[in-house]
Amino acid sequence: MLKIYHNSRCRKSREGLEILKNSDKEFEIIEYLKEPLTENELENLINKLEITPIQLVRKNEKIWKEKYKDKDLSDRELISVMVKNPKLIERPIVESDNKAVIGRPPSDIEKLL
C-alpha cells in the first residue's frame, strides 16, 4: 500500500493527494506534522528516496535559516533536526514498499503509480 506524507496546509501536498485519490491505488495518509516520524522511519524514507538528508530539507523555512543554515551538520544530525522540526521535511512524499518520491512537481508521484 502507498503512503503519502502530507501537510494539508501545503498546496503541492494537496495536489499530490488529489493524484492519489484519482488513481485506483489504495493509500494511507500520514500527517507527519501531527504524527512525527522517528529517526529510523525518516532514515528508511531517505534511503527509499535515494537522496541525502540535506536534499530533504526545506531550506527556505524560517527555523532552518535562523538555527541551522550556517552549521556543518552530519547526516545523522540532519535527520535528528528534521525529526524535531518536521516542518523542515520536503513534501509531499509518496512511499511504496520499496521506493519513494518527493511530489515536487506533484506529477512525479505518477512514477510510483
Side-chain angles (χ1 to χ4, degrees):
M1 179 187 306
L2 297 173
K3 295 179 184 178
I4 181 169
Y5 295 87
H6 177 61
N7 175 351
S8 60
R9 296 185 66 197
C10 171
R11 183 175 56 86
K12 296 285 187 201
S13 197
R14 290 190 306 268
E15 289 174 17
L17 183 58
E18 280 304 308
I19 289 170
L20 288 178
K21 285 180 179 177
N22 291 327
S23 77
D24 60 349
K25 306 288 186 189
E26 284 189 36
F27 64 92
E28 176 183 2
I29 299 170
I30 310 290
E31 292 191 43
Y32 67 94
L33 295 179
K34 294 178 183 174
E35 299 173 37
L37 300 168
T38 66
E39 288 189 18
N40 193 41
E41 288 169 331
L42 187 57
E43 186 174 358
N44 287 335
L45 199 52
I46 289 167
N47 287 335
K48 285 183 179 183
L49 288 164
E50 298 179 347
I51 61 173
T52 61
I54 193 66
Q55 291 174 286
L56 194 58
V57 173
R58 295 176 53 85
K59 295 170 197 75
N60 287 326
E61 289 289 338
K62 182 178 178 185
I63 192 166
W64 177 260
K65 290 177 180 178
E66 290 177 354
K67 287 184 138 186
Y68 304 107
K69 179 182 173 188
D70 297 320
K71 294 186 178 178
D72 185 21
L73 301 171
S74 69
D75 286 353
R76 174 74 30 223
E77 289 168 326
L78 284 166
I79 289 170
S80 181
V81 164
M82 285 187 277
V83 166
K84 290 179 184 131
N85 304 280
K87 201 175 195 182
L88 291 175
I89 299 172
E90 257 315 338
R91 59 192 179 250
I93 299 169
V94 177
E95 176 186 26
S96 69
D97 290 337
N98 56 6
K99 189 158 176 59
V101 295
I102 299 172
R104 289 191 169 267
S107 59
D108 282 355
I109 292 168
E110 293 168 4
K111 294 175 186 173
L112 284 182
L113 304 178

